[in-house]
Every structure is written in structure tokens, then in C-alpha cells.
Amino acid sequence: MSKNVIGAVVVCVLLGSLSLVVWALNNNKVVIGYNKGYVPDQPVNFPHDTHAGKYKIDCKYCHTGTEVSRHASVPSGNVCMNCHGPALVQNDSPEIQKVRDAFNNGRAIAWQKVNLLPDYVKFNHAPHIKAGKDCTVCHGPVAEMKKVVQHESLSMGFCVNCHRQPENNAPTNCSTCHY
Amino acid sequence: METQNTQTPKYWMSLEQWRQDPEFQKLAEKEFQSSPLQSDDGKDGWARREFLKLMGASLALTSFGCVRRTAQKIIPYVNKPADVIHGLSNYYASSFADGFEGLGLLVTTRDGRPIKIEGNPDHPANRGGMSTRGHAMILKLYDPDRYTGPKRNLQNDTRSNREIVGVKWEDLDKAVIEQLKKGSIAILGNSCLSPSTQALTDDFSAAYGAKSYRYDDVSYEPLQEATQKSYGQAGLPRYDFEKAKYVVAINNDFMGTWLNPTLYSRQFALRRRKTADMNKLVVFESLMSLTGSNADERYRIRPSQTLDLVMAILNELLINKKVSRFAGDAAVLRAVSAFAKADVGVNVADVAAELWKNRGQSLVVAGGVHSGIENAAHIHVAVNLLNAVLENDGKTVEPVGAAVVKPASANISDLIASMNKKEVKTLIIHGCNPMYSLPAAAKFREAFNNVEMIIYTGDRNDETARYADYVASDHHSLENWGDMLSLDGTYSIQQPTIQPLYNTRAMQDSLLVWAKASSKASARVKGAEDWYAYLRNNWKDLGRGKASTDDGWTELLRSGVLSGVTAGGGSRTFLTAALNEIKPASRKSGFELAMYETVALGGGDLANVPWLQELPDPITKITWDNYATISPKDAASLKLKEGYHVTLTVGDQKITIPAHIQPGQADGVVGLAVGYGRVGAGKVADGVGQNAFALAQWSNGSRVTSGIETAVAVSGGRTELACTQGHHSMEGRQIVVEETLKDFIKNPGGTVHRHKMFSMWSGHKYKGNKWGMVIDLNTCNGCSACVIACQSENNIPTVGKKYVIEGREMQWLRIDRYYVGDPENPDVVHQPLPCMHCDNAPCETVCPVIATSHSDEGTNDMTYNRCVGTRYCSNNCPYKVRRFNWFQYSEGIPTPHKMAMNPDVTVRFRGVMEKCTFCIHRIRNSKSEAKVQNRTLRPNEVQTACQQSCVTGAITFGDLNNTEWAVTKEFTSPSSYALLEELNTQPAVRYQVKVRNTEELKGAPKHHGEGHHA
């Protein structure tokens, strides 16, 4: 008899905690594995706040792929050299020396990826930019960031919330992103 | 209700089914070949216990949740080329010479690496389509078994040891040049389609006084010899199957393997229009070839009867009917009447009458590996006469200028003779693999002992490389410059699409470096810095139109093709003197061996590509092996069963190999595929099958591959052949619908049994696009290029022989082959089967996690990251098109292969289901592009990979909601039908009925074929 009672209590507790977990996950009370707030150290301390904030350089000046391609692309060395070439901007800065050395020696800089989507998610920048979405919608106020941080969870819920808005007229098929 | 158990099915897939073997019935009822865990799976380290342990570990990991996922790095260019945009493909026009077949390529590259081969729509040979090997050759570039640099083999005096060391290019060049200066040089090369390489080889020969010899692993020497004899004109003829209304193929596989199969398939399909003007194909053959499987009428003959049969038709025309201007020519009549008594076992009167009726628009072709009998040139002379009699010269058969494939002044038998006379000190071998494809009787190996140095420009430690002193490792053609003149007279350019992966060097660059060291080097050689400069100068010298200017050259690189330069055309005169030597051969008794090329492997050059090894043969549906094919009657008298070992004995050569009982094969003939049994080709090819060339004969300095008297003995033992056909049985419902041409013209689609369907569902609404596909069974010839195209496009893994036997092959697109009628000589139907993307998809309703779902564009989506691997969907799929990842197949992909992966398609992981997506990534990319350009999709803008690859245009794809797309008309036409319509799955793929140009069908389904399961 007492065994049955204990059993019933255990089952109730288990079910209760399970539903708590499901509720917490479904309502974004707990976010697991999305890396929101991730700020990796970069090989070169590139200050977005100076470039995009203080000098108001357009994001697309460096991230050239946004309007045509799936990837925004991180700029190649020659793009940096457009401004930071010999006898140009900030030549004595040690960080810029790193970029110059790499460029002159034909070395690429290995940046740490901040916003990482799994392989089975196919996000395409071009149509989003075409639809007039601002970069900050997903990437946050990059123009104020000294170090780039993952500003949103970039979870499926984050994507679908936007796609579901009637004014966006965006598809919500599975194959919109997964294929 | 009839059932299969009580009646012989008219459409059948294997002999076991035809005989209603209890084992087959068990298999058919089982539905799935494989259970979740096979008894010996544990040996591979994937036992269930192991699985649970791993599961435990991953559970532990998830509970420590908030750990950063694997950090990835972004490595941008230092100096980005302007035209490379990360995430977008670049396309380069190039060329691929596959033996004598020249194809125009469009190579898709991503971030500087080729990922897929497609056809160049501007190239007249393939017009955007591609062959199986054309698709697959990309994996030879990324082959882990390639040499990564030049090699030296420290040979002993008898060349029997194997000590291979790396060597520097400078050292190799020094040693080679020193040796070349001694003189007595021979170059053994293939029939190269590149005019500039030919010019360079000539320049090299002139610089050193070297002699050139010709050798091809798959040779067309008899055809070249016969052309020379028949017309006094060198070169190969050009056929136009589009102009031919009546085609007769005699032991000739022009659709699958012979000469230019891709071009011929396309031309043939163009005339396969379903009107009164439709062509008719009559095939006389020993084995069941791809061409034979597409025949309207098919007759069986032995290889040794090939010449007799051509002569029998000539007898009928010239002597019995006394037609054509040759009927009065005494020399011709003498030659032809010598065959008057030859017994071919077939009445050719009707065929001859039809040929004469269609004179000027008929075509007779013969020859190939499986009719490579002794004096094979005689067959071609006789066929040339027959085409001349039928007034086809200048109409369906045209000569091409001698520029294409220069005839050989000397062949390998001359080389062996002069080696034996010690006239050769240095031998350079390129573009062929004679130690693989020559029979031992040629005694090539023995002749090596008289040669001081052998230099081979191969790319791996293969059969020939192991006897060479130096291997000057060649580039892959995707790493190299070049040009090509295909047999139809089109010039095209081969341009590199990737930096050389390894420290290899183009064969042409090697020749150039060596030629420059000679004091007698020509100005052309001295003036060229490297092979590219030589090529460019050569094109300037030739002054081919605008291509001689810099701008013209750039334009040529863009389009890849310069057509209409060599004009063929014009009639020619048949020289009756060519007939003088032709006499009936003596009868053969017992079994005749006929070797043949498979559609996948051909001569075996690409044997190390797993896609090709795992491609089910279009006829036998067997993978990963070669086998002796034997007719059902012979098998019965030998008491053979599928897979039993037989020993084939020719002289002192023996091969023991599993047997395959092949419906439709001529009695008294054993077929054996070449291209298998490679040694040193690499991890994939080595040990797969056996080398058929070992049984070839050497007669009067040429290789005999067919009509060889062979003793066949059952030797005990059995090997299971990895056949994909026993699975996926369709239980004899209305799967394939055939109609005769007469019936079709009267009432297209009249034999299709339609069902009145009702549904309790309101159905999906498709407001935007609705994707659909139509496959024309009439033009599909089963060549299987689409299967490889799909595999390349969608990162589909290969699983190996063991798992194919268990039914775990992964190809998303399969081609079902059905036999119709009597196994002695059945008709054959090929039916490609992708995912049907049903509107009422049975798979969607049973998925417990909604991993497979319906989109508002009609596609049936598969979300890999949701899939938990219940496999319910596959159970519920009536078409059996779903494939399950039993293992982490991506782990087995060798490193360089990974570079061929398509970044637009997810590489699937273990435990998930996958299937055809209608190339959804192509749809998405096109839609994104259209959106960025502020427009909607243009009609026919989206092509699936299979559709793009199909040279016969059998596949149409597009938006069913827009009548401007070609697919809508096809989809709604009365001759289209849905597979298993009675299940009301409403497939988005429909088939066009197959039309046969015959009086009566062997299948003749009145109602649902046979055995309707209501």
C-alpha cells in the first residue's frame, strides 16, 4: 500500500517537473544553447563603435555580400587597406599594424565567428536586406559595440516571430530555412 | 481479384519474380530489406550497446547545457578577387574528353573549388546535359589515392620490385632529359581530342626524332580502319540519329557506351516525337545493352554472327530484291553472295524491306567492345556498304574532316615489335593504361626488359605506373588548360577551375620542358613559356576566327565553344575494293565470350569513383561488381543460379566469377564487363570485380574482345551480388503504361486506367507556386546520368556493397527497370522514381514530430534537425523513395572529397530520414535572386539537377500554377498519368506513357497490368 503511494508521489513529482521544464522552454524563460550574449576575443580588436558609430561607415561597405548573397561576408584584407594603407588612417596603431602585417605577408586573419547558425539552417541575407530589414533587427546596436556580441538568441522562435507578422508577408514553410 | 501467386506477371523485375520463387515472395512481403540492427553490425563498432553508451554521453552533455557550441573561424581572402562572392557560385565553361566523346562542361565552383559538373548549353554535343562519367569525374580530382607529386620507382633489372620514392621535378627533368638525349624515343598515347596537345606531341617528336604510337583502352581502330578502306579517307564518321527514321543497331550500344553516346541519345530522343514521324529502333544483339533495352524490335544473335547479319541484309537487298545501284556491281555481289548461306537464325526480310522503304532516312550502326571480334573492321566495311546501298551517305552518315582524331601511323603492336628489336631506349606513356587493358598474350610486359627508361604521366600507382621508372604526375583535367575538337566538329576550350591541389604538372608542361632542352626544338616550343602560352599561341596561329585576338579569346573562355568550324557534310563514294578481303568466318562452337563496357565504368578509368561503383547498372541493377551474364536457357542447362560461381576458360587464362542470369541474352553467349578488377587504382576500385581484359585475345596485332570461344564450368561457391532490383517491389499495379504508336495517335493515353477519386479533405491551397514534374517514359532511355547528377548536387553518400545488399543504398532518385514478356527476349521499361511530393502525402500524416511536412508550394519538406528516426514515414510511403541514414556516413568521406560538397545542401547526420527535395535549394536560390532583382520567376527558370542533366529532355519541372511553364501542358495532357492513382496521394510527379513503334505490345495491359489490388 505504502509502496503505491510513494510510487504515485514520485510519478506526480516527475510529471510536474517535466511540465515545468516544458513551460519554461516554450516561454523563453530558460534559453539553452543559443549563446545570446556571446562575446569572443578577436585576433584584432576591431572597434565597430568607431567605424560604424563615430564615422558612420555603412555596414555594406565592408560586409559586401549582404545585398546579393546568402553570406554577409567578413571583409578581405584589401578592404581594410583602402583606408589603412601606407600613410593613411591610423598607421601607428598596433592593432592596425597587425592587419597591415598580415596583408603584406599574404596572411588571412582568422576571425572568431560570433553569430553561428547550425548547418541545417539556411539563412539568406540578400532577401532580408531587400525587404528593407535593418541590420540591427538581428545584430543589435553594432554601432555602439566595442566588441561584437551576439545580441539575439537567433533561435527558430526568433526567426518565426518575425516571419509570422502579416505585414512581412514572409513564408513559414519548413523548407524556407531547412533543406 | 487476381493475385501474383496464381499468374505469371507480365511486368516483372527479376527472374525470381517471374518464376514466383518463394524467396522473392518473402522479400516482396517484407517491404524493407533491412532490420534496424543486423547481426554483424557490431563488428563495425555500432552495436546497440555502443549506441546506448554514446546516447548516455550525449545526455550528460546536454545537461551541462550552456557551453558554447564549437567555435568556428571566418577566414576571409587577403585580396578578394572581384568576381568571387562568398555564397554564390561561379560557372566556368570547360571541356571533358571521355575517350572519343567530347562534352562541353559548365563547372560550378564555390570559393575557388569545383563542386559540380554540368553541361554547357552552348555545346552541340550535349546541350546542357551530361553523362554519368562527366558528372562523376569531379571525384577523380578529389581522389585521395592520387599522387601528390612526381615519383620515381627504383626498379631492378626485371622491373619486378616496387620501391616508390618521391622525387623533385628538377631531378626528374634532369634525369629524363639526360636519357632523352640518347635518342630512340617512343611516345605511346591515346587518340587525343585536343588539337593543341597533338601539335605539342608532334613538336616534341620532331625535337627528339621520337616516334608516336597510338593506343586506346577502348579502341575504335576497326572503325577507323574501315573508314579508310571504304572511303579512302581517314577519320571517324559523324552520325545524325535525328535524321534517321529507321535505326538498326547490330551489336552496337550507341545509347550507352559507343563512340558518342550522349550526343546519340539526344539526337535519338529528338526523333522520338510521338507523331507518325517517330523513329523505330531495331536491335540485333548478343547481350542486353542499354540500346537493346530501348528497342522497338529486338533480335538475339551471337557475336560471331554480327558480320553475317549485316551481310544477310545486304543479300536480301542486293540479290533477292536487286535494288540500289550496287545490285549491278559484280565485285559487290561476289562479296555479298559468299554469305548467302550464312545462318543468322533471324529472318531479316522485313527489316531489309523497311530499311529500303526508309532509304535516305535510315541508319545502320554496328560494332563496339561487345562485337570486337577478330577482323572487326570487316563488320564496319559491310555496314558502310549497307549505308551506301540505303543512300544514307551524306544524310544520316556524314564524313568529318580528317582533323578530328588523327589516324595513328603506328599502333601498339608496332611498338612492341620495335621494343623487341631493341629500337626503343626511352618510352613515354600518356593517356592510356596498357598494362590494365592489354591481354598478357600481347607480351608488352616482356618487351619492357629491352627499354632503358619508362616515363608515365598517370596520376596514381596503377597497373602501368608500377612498371615505370618515373611517374610525371599529371594534373586532373579540371586543373589544366586545354582544347578539344569533338567528333561533331565543335572546338571547345578546357580551362582550369581550381589551382592544382598537389605538386603535379600538366603532361603538356612536362613535354614542353623536355622538348625545350633539345637543340632541335621548334620556334613554337621555344617561344612558349608554358603550356598555357603554347595553347594560346597555337590558337593564334590557327587564326580560328575571332579566337586569335585577345578579346576573342576572352569571349571564347566565357562561352567555351567555337562551333561550325569544321564543316562535315557531303556524300562520299564507297570503294568496293574494300570488300575484297571479306569472307565468312568459320563457325564457333560452344560458348562465345562477349566483353562489354558498362554505362557507369566504361574502360575503367574512373573506377575509383564510388558514385560510379554504386550506380545500379541500367539493365542488371547490380552494383559494386562485374559478373558473367548468361541467358536463362543456358543457366537452366548448366543448373546455375544467380550468384553461383562459374569458371571461364580461354586458352590458359581462367577467371572465376559470379554469374548473373540475364533475360534477353542470346543463348551460347557469356557477357563480361570490362573496367573492373583494377590494381592500384585506389581504395574504392581495388578488389572490385575482375579484369575481363585478361581473357582478351591477341590476334594479328590487335585486341579481340568478343566472339572468343570459352569453356564455362560451374565451380561451386556463391557470391551475393549487390542488386537493387529485388527491393522496392511494386506488386504489379499500374506502374508503367505502354501504348503502340498507332494506338497513341488514335487516342493518346487511352490505355491508362483512370479512377474516380473522392477525398474527405478539402486539400491544400497553393496560392503562389505549385511545383510539379513530368517524366516522359518515352524518351527516358535509362542512362542513369540523372542519378549521379542528383548524388553530386545533394551530397548523397555511398554506402558500399554490404549495405546495398541490405537495401540501404542512399540515392534519392532510382530508376526502376521492368521486363515485359518472355524472359527469352523481353521488352524493357525504365522508370525514374524521385519523391512524388504527394498533395495527400502518406508520410506527412504519420510523422510523430512533424519532421516531414507540406509546404504551401506543394513540396514535401524534410526537416533533418527535427527527425528522430522513427522511419514511420518510410513505412507509409507507397513509392518507397525515402532513405534512412543508418550511420554517420559523412565521417567516412575522405578529406579531399569534402571539397566537392554542395554548401547549399545540408550534409545529413546519422539517424535521420532523407529523400528527394525537388532541389528545393535551387528553388530558394532562384526565388531569392528574383526578389533581389524585383521580379517574379521567369518561366522555366528553375531546373532540378536531374532535369538539367538529362540529354533526352525526359524530365520537365516547374510551376503548375503558371501555364507559361512547360510542365503545365505536360502535366495535364491526356497521356500523362499518376503512379498508384487509386491511393489518392495526388502525386506532383506524373509520367507520360511509353510509346512503342510496334504492332503489338508484349505487356498489353488491358486493366491495371495484372493483379489489381482493389
Side-chain angles (χ1 to χ4, degrees):
Chain A
M1 182 68 189
S2 64
K3 259 188 192 167
N4 285 352
V5 173
I6 294 170
V9 169
V10 167
V11 167
C12 281
V13 168
L14 277 175
L15 280 176
S17 45
L18 189 70
S19 46
L20 196 73
V21 168
V22 169
W23 174 83
L25 286 172
N26 274 352
N27 293 284
N28 282 351
K29 299 292 170 199
V30 180
V31 179
I32 297 175
Y34 290 125
N35 305 298
K36 191 173 169 176
Y38 175 62
V39 197
D41 287 333
Q42 298 292 357
V44 175
N45 260 333
F46 178 87
H48 273 88
D49 58 345
T50 311
H51 290 83
K54 191 170 165 198
Y55 295 110
K56 301 211 172 348
I57 300 170
D58 188 16
C59 307
K60 289 175 278 189
Y61 179 80
C62 298
H63 301 287
T64 49
T66 42
E67 286 180 315
V68 286
S69 168
R70 177 139 70 88
H71 303 289
S73 296
V74 166
S76 50
N78 58 324
V79 176
C80 306
M81 288 300 110
N82 286 348
C83 298
H84 296 294
L88 292 174
V89 183
Q90 286 275 338
N91 268 299
D92 45 354
S93 149
E95 293 299 306
I96 294 206
Q97 285 297 337
K98 283 193 214 165
V99 179
R100 284 261 301 282
D101 283 356
F103 180 76
N104 290 337
N105 295 321
R107 264 191 298 114
I109 298 167
W111 302 93
Q112 290 292 337
K113 197 167 188 175
V114 179
N115 302 297
L116 182 74
L117 290 180
D119 286 349
Y120 49 75
V121 181
K122 305 277 189 273
F123 175 79
N124 192 339
H125 274 90
H128 290 87
I129 298 296
K130 183 72 192 175
K133 293 290 156 215
D134 200 76
C135 306
T136 54
V137 174
C138 304
H139 295 293
V142 176
E144 295 161 18
M145 293 180 192
K146 260 203 151 31
K147 255 179 157 184
V148 174
V149 54
Q150 182 178 332
H151 188 262
E152 295 290 349
S153 70
L154 303 183
S155 65
M156 186 165 134
F158 173 77
C159 295
V160 172
N161 274 346
C162 220
H163 272 238
R164 275 187 185 144
Q165 304 308 316
E167 69 271 20
N168 286 336
N169 194 20
T172 48
N173 294 317
C174 297
S175 62
T176 305
C177 306
H178 303 296
Y179 45 84
Chain B
M1 187 179 100
E2 301 160 335
T3 65
Q4 289 200 336
N5 297 329
T6 55
Q7 195 188 27
T8 306
K10 280 176 194 139
Y11 286 79
W12 44 283
M13 300 201 294
S14 64
L15 282 165
E16 288 77 11
Q17 184 187 8
W18 190 80
R19 282 196 305 266
Q20 284 151 25
D21 193 315
E23 259 180 61
F24 177 84
Q25 292 298 337
K26 225 159 65 189
L27 213 64
E29 280 154 23
K30 206 171 150 195
E31 188 168 11
F32 286 102
Q33 284 252 296
S34 44
S35 80
L37 207 70
Q38 297 289 320
S39 54
D40 53 348
D41 276 353
K43 288 174 195 156
D44 285 359
W46 293 110
R48 179 159 291 253
R49 195 164 298 162
E50 201 68 22
F51 173 75
L52 289 175
K53 231 185 327 192
L54 287 171
M55 279 303 291
S58 49
L59 269 176
L61 277 176
T62 41
S63 37
F64 291 105
C66 300
V67 180
R68 172 69 191 182
R69 284 183 298 242
T70 335
Q72 284 186 4
K73 288 192 168 147
I74 299 179
I75 303 173
Y77 277 98
V78 177
N79 223 330
K80 188 175 83 75
D83 52 354
V84 175
I85 295 169
H86 185 44
L88 295 185
S89 299
N90 290 59
Y91 300 89
Y92 295 97
S94 193
S95 307
F96 173 50
D98 181 14
F100 283 67
E101 177 162 72
L103 298 170
L105 309 184
L106 211 54
V107 184
T108 313
T109 68
R110 273 295 177 84
D111 303 318
R113 61 195 162 83
I115 56 165
K116 169 119 193 290
I117 306 287
E118 279 153 18
N120 184 348
D122 293 338
H123 198 288
N126 48 322
R127 291 271 176 230
M130 191 37 64
S131 68
T132 47
R133 286 200 289 279
H135 284 299
M137 68 94 154
I138 194 170
L139 282 197
K140 198 183 180 195
L141 167 70
Y142 298 123
D143 192 337
D145 295 306
R146 267 178 75 188
Y147 271 157
T148 54
K151 298 283 174 196
R152 183 175 179 199
N153 201 343
L154 305 170
Q155 303 279 13
N156 57 14
D157 289 347
T158 54
R159 295 180 189 278
S160 54
N161 62 330
R162 312 263 175 268
E163 199 178 331
I164 297 159
V165 293
V167 62
K168 283 188 186 145
W169 278 111
E170 304 91 85
D171 298 339
L172 181 143
D173 288 339
K174 214 175 124 201
V176 168
I177 289 165
E178 204 171 289
Q179 174 67 25
L180 290 174
K181 291 204 164 141
K182 293 184 193 165
S184 306
I185 303 157
I187 311 176
L188 180 66
N190 64 333
S191 300
C192 179
L193 295 184
S194 161
S196 296
T197 305
Q198 281 177 18
L200 178 61
T201 318
D202 292 349
D203 278 350
F204 176 86
S205 302
Y208 284 106
K211 215 166 165 227
S212 277
Y213 300 89
R214 182 71 54 80
Y215 179 72
D216 293 291
D217 293 323
V218 175
S219 163
Y220 291 91
E221 234 174 73
L223 182 60
Q224 286 165 306
E225 190 189 324
T227 311
Q228 178 72 42
K229 275 191 184 152
S230 313
Y231 302 104
Q233 190 180 17
L236 288 161
R238 179 162 73 174
Y239 300 102
D240 195 340
F241 285 83
E242 193 188 345
K243 288 188 191 147
K245 197 175 172 210
Y246 196 85
V247 180
V248 176
I250 304 160
N251 261 334
N252 172 295
D253 185 17
F254 69 86
M255 278 189 199
T257 53
W258 188 70
L259 213 55
N260 282 207
T262 311
L263 172 65
Y264 302 153
S265 297
R266 194 174 68 77
Q267 289 173 340
F268 185 83
L270 285 172
R271 190 63 185 253
R272 203 74 190 156
R273 294 179 289 253
K274 290 177 271 193
T275 62
D277 200 32
M278 182 167 126
N279 57 11
K280 177 160 185 165
L281 174 62
V282 180
V283 175
F284 298 88
E285 64 180 2
S286 316
L287 310 172
M288 177 65 95
S289 73
L290 189 68
T291 308
S293 75
N294 286 288
D296 293 306
E297 268 174 44
R298 184 175 176 277
Y299 303 95
R300 301 183 301 155
I301 56 167
R302 289 159 69 106
S304 59
Q305 291 172 324
T306 313
L307 177 61
D308 296 353
L309 191 102
V310 184
M311 284 301 189
I313 298 175
L314 280 166
N315 259 301
E316 178 67 24
L317 287 173
L318 298 180
I319 293 171
N320 297 355
K321 291 256 170 61
K322 298 193 175 48
V323 291
S324 108
R325 65 186 171 86
F326 290 95
D329 190 315
V332 172
L333 291 182
R334 192 164 49 238
V336 170
S337 58
F339 286 82
K341 288 199 184 105
D343 171 32
V344 289
V346 182
N347 184 4
V348 295
D350 290 346
V351 174
E354 281 293 313
L355 275 172
W356 182 247
K357 204 173 94 192
N358 290 297
R359 62 187 181 279
Q361 49 173 345
S362 60
L363 180 56
V364 184
V365 284
V369 173
H370 58 299
S371 52
I373 56 174
E374 239 174 290
N375 297 324
H378 292 177
I379 301 172
H380 295 290
V381 171
V383 168
N384 287 344
L385 172 64
L386 184 51
N387 275 322
V389 165
L390 296 169
E391 296 159 25
N392 292 332
D393 268 334
K395 288 166 187 152
T396 54
V397 193
E398 293 172 17
V400 159
V404 185
V405 188
K406 279 194 202 167
S409 55
N411 64 17
I412 197 160
S413 61
D414 303 318
L415 172 65
I416 295 168
S418 58
M419 280 161 84
N420 286 335
K421 280 186 249 159
K422 301 203 186 231
E423 287 168 359
V424 178
K425 283 187 182 147
T426 313
L427 173 62
I428 301 174
I429 305 175
H430 73 85
C432 56
N433 189 359
M435 286 311 294
Y436 168 67
S437 57
L438 268 184
K443 304 219 181 295
F444 190 45
R445 159 79 187 86
E446 286 79 353
F448 286 167
N449 297 339
N450 304 321
V451 180
E452 287 175 22
M453 187 189 280
I454 298 172
I455 303 151
Y456 180 52
T457 62
D459 69 343
R460 64 194 63 224
N461 185 26
D462 61 18
E463 294 86 346
T464 303
R466 55 190 55 207
Y467 292 102
D469 296 276
Y470 284 98
V471 179
S473 310
D474 195 3
H475 285 337
H476 184 271
S477 64
L478 289 174
E479 298 170 327
N480 194 12
W481 285 96
D483 54 2
M484 188 176 78
L485 176 54
S486 30
L487 295 193
D488 65 347
T490 308
Y491 282 94
S492 58
I493 287 291
Q494 171 192 325
Q495 60 180 320
T497 53
I498 188 170
Q499 284 281 333
L501 289 172
Y502 308 116
N503 183 24
T504 54
R505 187 169 74 182
M507 180 275 284
Q508 294 91 339
D509 266 322
S510 295
L511 284 187
L512 203 59
V513 168
W514 301 335
K516 277 184 178 193
S518 162
S519 53
K520 282 185 271 173
S522 68
R524 202 157 53 162
V525 166
K526 281 182 185 153
E529 196 186 324
D530 57 10
W531 160 234
Y532 171 68
Y534 183 94
L535 175 78
R536 186 76 188 81
N537 290 341
N538 195 36
W539 274 70
K540 263 185 202 152
D541 292 350
L542 294 170
R544 288 194 195 100
K546 283 189 217 145
S548 53
T549 67
D550 282 348
D551 284 352
W553 177 255
T554 313
E555 169 55 23
L556 185 63
L557 293 187
R558 190 200 62 76
S559 69
V561 175
L562 190 68
S563 54
V565 175
T566 312
S571 168
R572 45 187 185 173
T573 318
F574 182 82
L575 308 172
T576 50
L579 295 166
N580 289 350
E581 296 163 23
I582 302 185
K583 284 177 190 72
S586 54
R587 295 280 92 208
K588 304 258 186 215
S589 58
F591 277 101
E592 282 181 43
L593 176 65
M595 293 176 198
Y596 66 99
E597 289 177 83
T598 61
V599 172
L601 287 189
D605 181 43
L606 291 174
N608 205 39
V609 175
W611 293 344
L612 292 178
Q613 292 280 6
E614 199 159 299
L615 179 72
D617 184 87
I619 305 299
T620 66
K621 296 289 158 194
I622 296 172
T623 63
W624 290 104
D625 235 327
N626 67 343
Y627 33 80
T629 62
I630 282 178
S631 78
K633 200 173 151 196
D634 287 336
S637 61
L638 285 167
K639 296 200 171 57
L640 260 182
K641 272 192 178 175
E642 185 80 5
Y644 277 24
H645 289 181
V646 289
T647 302
L648 310 179
T649 314
V650 178
D652 54 355
Q653 298 288 332
K654 268 185 194 167
I655 281 187
T656 301
I657 196 159
H660 165 66
I661 303 165
Q662 177 59 54
Q665 178 156 328
D667 298 329
V669 181
V670 192
L672 187 58
V674 301
Y676 289 85
R678 297 289 310 271
V679 179
K683 288 182 198 74
V684 174
D686 287 359
V688 176
Q690 298 191 49
N691 185 3
F693 285 125
L695 295 184
Q697 297 291 91
W698 189 248
S699 157
N700 303 328
S702 62
R703 193 181 61 192
V704 176
T705 51
S706 185
I708 304 164
E709 279 184 64
T710 309
V712 179
V714 184
S715 57
R718 187 177 188 177
T719 303
E720 192 166 359
L721 294 167
C723 176
T724 60
Q725 187 68 81
H727 337 150
H728 314 299
S729 171
M730 286 226 189
E731 301 279 326
R733 296 165 190 171
Q734 173 173 286
I735 310 294
V736 176
V737 180
E738 289 182 282
E739 286 177 359
T740 62
L741 182 60
K742 231 195 282 168
D743 288 348
F744 182 87
I745 290 169
K746 242 186 276 164
N747 180 16
T751 43
V752 180
H753 179 86
R754 311 270 176 193
H755 297 76
K756 274 215 174 74
M757 303 304 305
F758 74 95
S759 179
M760 298 196 294
W761 287 5
S762 52
H764 297 276
K765 297 276 175 293
Y766 306 106
K767 286 182 190 134
N769 307 109
K770 157 78 171 114
W771 302 108
M773 182 183 272
V774 176
I775 299 173
D776 189 350
L777 296 179
N778 197 45
T779 47
C780 171
N781 66 9
C783 76
S784 304
C786 50
V787 179
I788 302 285
C790 175
Q791 194 151 23
S792 179
E793 176 81 17
N794 291 305
N795 303 334
I796 299 171
T798 45
V799 298
K801 183 177 178 180
K802 180 184 162 195
Y803 293 115
V804 174
I805 290 175
E806 287 175 16
R808 294 177 179 181
E809 67 271 9
M810 295 299 285
Q811 287 128 354
W812 286 359
L813 175 61
R814 74 169 188 271
I815 300 184
D816 281 334
R817 180 265 301 120
Y818 296 96
Y819 293 118
V820 192
D822 185 22
E824 290 287 305
N825 190 11
D827 277 351
V828 182
V829 187
H830 302 279
Q831 184 174 45
L833 229 103
C835 170
M836 296 281 131
H837 292 269
C838 313
D839 287 357
N840 299 335
C843 55
E844 289 165 7
T845 47
V846 294
C847 181
V849 293
I850 324 181
T852 185
S853 54
H854 210 70
S855 78
D856 60 13
E857 297 182 354
T859 56
N860 171 248
D861 298 342
M862 184 65 224
T863 312
Y864 308 122
N865 45 312
R866 259 187 182 235
C867 179
V868 295
T870 62
R871 292 173 284 125
Y872 293 171
C873 54
S874 185
N875 273 323
N876 218 30
C877 172
Y879 307 100
K880 291 290 161 276
V881 293
R882 289 180 160 262
R883 304 282 176 269
F884 186 66
N885 283 274
W886 290 95
F887 299 110
Q888 188 79 16
Y889 293 114
S890 57
E891 273 176 1
I893 303 169
T895 308
H897 270 203
K898 287 179 181 157
M899 293 170 78
M901 290 292 182
N902 183 357
D904 285 345
V905 178
T906 307
V907 175
R908 278 79 61 187
F909 23 89
R910 184 172 51 141
V912 302
M913 194 56 82
E914 62 183 66
K915 51 140 207 124
C916 158
T917 63
F918 262 177
C919 281
I920 189 82
H921 56 286
R922 289 187 172 210
I923 299 175
R924 292 258 76 83
N925 285 351
S926 296
K927 289 191 107 176
S928 294
E929 198 185 309
K931 180 161 188 173
V932 168
Q933 293 170 3
N934 265 336
R935 60 175 175 87
T936 50
L937 288 174
R938 296 186 204 102
N940 305 320
E941 183 175 347
V942 186
Q943 280 193 316
T944 61
C946 51
Q947 174 192 19
Q948 190 180 28
S949 142
C950 184
V951 275
T952 66
I955 303 177
T956 329
F957 173 80
D959 183 4
L960 299 175
N961 272 354
N962 186 342
T963 48
E964 284 176 62
W965 292 65
V967 70
T968 46
K969 202 176 142 217
E970 296 274 318
F971 198 83
T972 50
S973 92
S975 54
S976 78
Y977 69 97
L979 212 55
L980 305 185
E981 187 194 35
E982 62 271 32
L983 299 180
N984 201 21
T985 52
Q986 303 284 342
V989 178
R990 282 191 187 169
Y991 293 90
Q992 285 282 351
V993 297
K994 186 172 179 71
V995 177
R996 279 193 200 271
N997 201 347
T998 49
E999 292 302 310
E1000 205 179 322
L1001 291 172
K1002 289 185 185 163
K1006 294 283 181 288
H1007 176 77
H1008 277 224
E1010 62 292 317
H1012 177 24
H1013 297 244

